[in-house]
Amino acid sequence: KNAKVSIFRADLRNGEDMEGLLAFIRSLPDGLDIVVNNAGHSIRRPIAESLNRYHDFTRTMAINYFAPVQLLLATIPILKKKQGQIINISTVNTLLVPLPYWAAYQASKSAFDTWFRSAAPELNAMGISTTSIYLPLVKTSMIEPTPVYQKLPAMSPEHVAKIICHSIYSRRKIYKPWWLIFGQLASVCFRGIWELLTPLMLEKR
């Protein structure tokens, strides 16, 4: 079957770009069935190097939290008419103990994850399906600035695409790697030890 693809390029931190995108969505003759949120501006920087970089935190919140919230608030009425679906591509880090150097990124992704999970029951009551996909490291251009990540195992974008597609037709509520449960248990059981030892390890660097 033939498919028509339309591309609307926009910086969702820019108010005019956002309004343009929303106008485009509202003009779709067949409405809207699915929204996939894959916001992910990432910054790895120690707090000591962030003292004069407050903009690191505002820009990560702008694209990872405020933009998807604004987009969904505007599209929920459209999705409700079609009994549609919202898929949020999150990170496993939102379910684990926070890591040093990632304060800006983790705070912004956790903020939207919490917003989305809080809104999900209300959205479900409207007939809108919700799916949270928690991913580990994915081999994309976003991880290239972090040299240590080049040596770590990472999911391929093709694998992730299959997970998203499966979530669309299955409408599963949550996807997360099978091993994440062990990381979550460790985050609860060994949090005190982690918080005690991590500063000592950072001092030796």
Side-chain angles (χ1 to χ4, degrees):
K1 185 178 179 179
N2 292 331
K4 179 182 178 182
V5 177
S6 298
I7 297 174
F8 192 99
R9 186 172 181 174
D11 181 346
L12 299 186
R13 296 170 298 180
N14 180 287
E16 291 184 4
D17 283 11
M18 175 66 84
E19 288 303 320
L21 174 61
L22 294 177
F24 169 75
I25 292 174
R26 294 184 183 109
S27 70
L28 294 173
D30 298 319
L32 187 66
D33 294 289
I34 302 168
V35 172
V36 179
N37 172 51
N38 191 31
H41 184 72
S42 177
I43 295 177
R44 180 182 184 272
R45 184 168 287 119
I47 290 297
E49 297 176 14
S50 304
L51 303 182
N52 296 315
R53 297 183 61 91
Y54 176 64
H55 61 279
D56 283 350
F57 300 90
T58 57
R59 61 179 174 161
T60 48
M61 289 297 287
I63 195 63
N64 294 351
Y65 178 63
F66 292 120
V69 168
Q70 183 180 2
L71 180 63
L72 289 181
L73 290 177
T75 55
I76 284 170
I78 307 173
L79 290 165
K80 182 179 179 181
K81 292 180 181 178
K82 300 294 293 287
Q83 301 289 279
Q85 182 182 16
I86 301 169
I87 299 175
N88 179 44
I89 311 300
S90 190
T91 169
V92 295
N93 298 81
T94 63
L95 302 178
L96 300 173
V97 63
L99 297 174
Y101 303 149
W102 296 97
Y105 174 71
Q106 292 187 151
S108 61
K109 294 295 283 187
S110 296
F112 185 75
D113 179 66
T114 299
W115 182 92
F116 188 58
R117 288 188 291 117
S118 177
E122 298 177 64
L123 295 169
N124 298 158
M126 297 178 193
I128 301 173
S129 299
T130 54
T131 300
S132 293
I133 297 179
Y134 297 95
L135 296 178
L137 200 62
V138 181
K139 199 169 185 61
T140 66
S141 58
M142 193 174 79
I143 71 171
E144 291 177 359
T146 308
V148 67
Y149 280 175
Q150 307 306 315
K151 301 177 182 179
L152 296 179
M155 294 178 72
S156 70
E158 293 77 15
H159 186 187
V160 175
K162 290 180 180 178
I163 292 170
I164 296 171
C165 290
H166 182 266
S167 298
I168 290 173
Y169 70 77
S170 67
R171 296 209 166 193
R172 66 187 300 174
K173 293 193 70 65
I174 296 177
Y175 168 86
K176 52 187 177 181
W178 62 269
W179 48 261
L180 184 58
I181 184 63
F182 300 106
Q184 290 177 284
L185 287 172
S187 293
V188 174
C189 297
F190 303 108
R191 176 176 174 176
I193 297 174
W194 168 262
E195 292 178 347
L196 180 65
L197 296 180
T198 303
L200 299 177
M201 292 187 290
L202 294 178
E203 287 177 5
K204 293 179 181 180
R205 291 193 173 186

